[in-house]
Amino acid sequence: MVVVSVQRFTEIQNFIRNYHGLFVDCNLELEAKFPEYSADTLGSITAKEVVQRVKTNHAKISAKAQSLLKEYQTTARQTLASDVLQKMAIELQIPSMVLCRILLAKMYHESSKQEINEMLRMPDLIPDSLLAVNVSYCLYSETMDGPITDLVRRFIGEEYEVRLKKMARDTGMIFYDEGDLRRTGYDKTPDLKMAVPFMYRGQTINWIESKASFGDMESHKRYVKDQLSSYGNRFGPGMVIYWFGYVESISDCPENGNYVTVIDGFPSKDDMDFLTFNLPAIVEEPTDESINERIVNT
């Protein structure tokens, strides 16, 4: 099980918040300092912390975009280095692709958001060749933000959804997936909706939601508000699986109500009970031969 105590989780958070350097190096040092947790678990915690940091500081950094652009241009002209933007991002303690996005939007303010995103995805489109090299350097070295990171996270999420369906089928569950539910007109849908509910440790389970991430309190409350509560209201109690573990306090937080059960992996067969159907025995219609045999025997 990957259930992290509140104290241990706070230690991990503090390490990330006080770290100055590349996030990939931060993850490596986390793995050495907290060897009891997997790289996936620690990497997911780092990602959550970085997202929160960007949300908190984005407006402040955007307000300084002009001065940051001038700082980049001055340093780049003097050094002709390809890692100027990355070093600036380290000082600001944000993902380098976030800084790239802010500075590109400032430098090419007449370009649309879609055009800026295309520049981030394909730096060769950037007219300034040295800036293109710097953005490219960030694109291929950043692990917390950007087109490549987004693609990797999407693939991981889809991998765990496929894994969930396979495990459910192997266990004998009967369910509808998101595609089935959307074809019938549902908008917000869990990953699996049980056609036949089952019991998990005495709790009825009508749906399962898969999260290929670590469950911290803030993101869990947001998931409950935006997704899980609507599943509970519509379908009844269900469960959310945080495949990379969760902080222990979210399993019994008030927001769960009677609708959300939190686990860190596919439930064990020993913890599940399935509805069984006892069908009546089929009585065969009597044939002429059987009737004649009974008459003879009597």
Side-chain angles (χ1 to χ4, degrees), residues 54-272:
V54 171
K55 286 181 179 179
T56 302
N57 298 324
H58 193 276
K60 297 177 184 178
I61 296 172
S62 296
K64 299 191 300 181
Q66 186 61 47
S67 62
L68 289 171
L69 181 58
K70 287 183 179 179
E71 178 185 343
Y72 158 74
Q73 290 172 330
T74 300
T75 306
R77 281 195 297 265
Q78 291 174 349
T79 64
L80 300 180
S82 59
D83 61 348
V84 176
L85 285 179
Q86 186 185 76
K87 289 179 178 177
M88 289 175 63
I90 290 173
E91 287 299 315
L92 294 167
Q93 290 188 288
I94 60 170
S96 57
M97 291 303 288
V98 172
L99 179 61
C100 291
R101 188 178 292 109
I102 291 172
L103 296 192
L104 283 173
K106 190 66 178 179
M107 187 168 183
Y108 302 105
H109 56 87
E110 295 182 356
S111 299
S112 66
K113 184 177 180 180
Q114 182 178 353
E115 289 171 330
I116 297 298
N117 287 335
E118 284 296 297
M119 291 180 191
L120 290 169
R121 192 169 64 87
M122 294 182 289
D124 290 347
L125 297 175
I126 299 173
D128 184 312
S129 59
L130 185 54
L131 179 57
V133 170
N134 266 268
V135 172
S136 182
Y137 191 93
C138 293
L139 174 64
Y140 294 109
S141 60
E142 181 57 65
T143 59
M144 289 293 142
D145 190 85
I148 295 176
T149 302
D150 292 343
L151 193 62
V152 169
R153 286 175 180 166
R154 193 185 81 192
F155 285 160
I156 292 174
E158 291 177 356
E159 174 192 343
Y160 277 89
E161 287 180 21
V162 170
R163 185 178 300 190
L164 171 62
K165 292 178 186 178
K166 183 180 185 305
M167 290 178 170
R169 290 192 188 99
D170 291 344
T171 308
M173 293 180 182
I174 304 172
F175 60 85
Y176 304 105
D177 63 18
E178 287 181 289
D180 298 326
L181 293 171
R182 284 176 181 158
R183 280 190 291 272
T184 58
Y186 289 104
D187 49 358
K188 289 186 177 182
T189 60
D191 292 310
L192 300 184
K193 164 67 175 69
M194 299 299 113
V196 179
F198 65 94
M199 301 293 290
Y200 174 75
R201 298 182 178 178
Q203 172 69 54
T204 303
I205 300 298
N206 296 281
W207 51 268
I208 302 177
E209 179 71 9
S210 170
K211 297 292 184 187
S213 63
F214 181 86
D216 64 284
M217 182 61 78
E218 182 174 345
S219 63
H220 178 69
K221 286 182 178 180
R222 187 170 62 252
Y223 288 143
V224 172
K225 179 182 177 182
D226 296 343
Q227 294 179 292
L228 307 183
S229 61
S230 64
Y231 302 159
N233 291 332
R234 181 175 296 174
F235 304 121
M239 65 169 48
V240 56
I241 301 176
Y242 287 105
W243 294 101
F244 301 156
Y246 60 86
V247 62
E248 62 181 355
S249 55
I250 73 171
S251 60
D252 56 1
C253 70
E255 285 76 7
N256 293 338
N258 297 319
Y259 292 121
V260 181
T261 297
V262 180
I263 59 176
D264 67 330
F266 194 81
S268 166
K269 281 189 175 183
D270 294 337
D271 292 326
M272 294 187 289

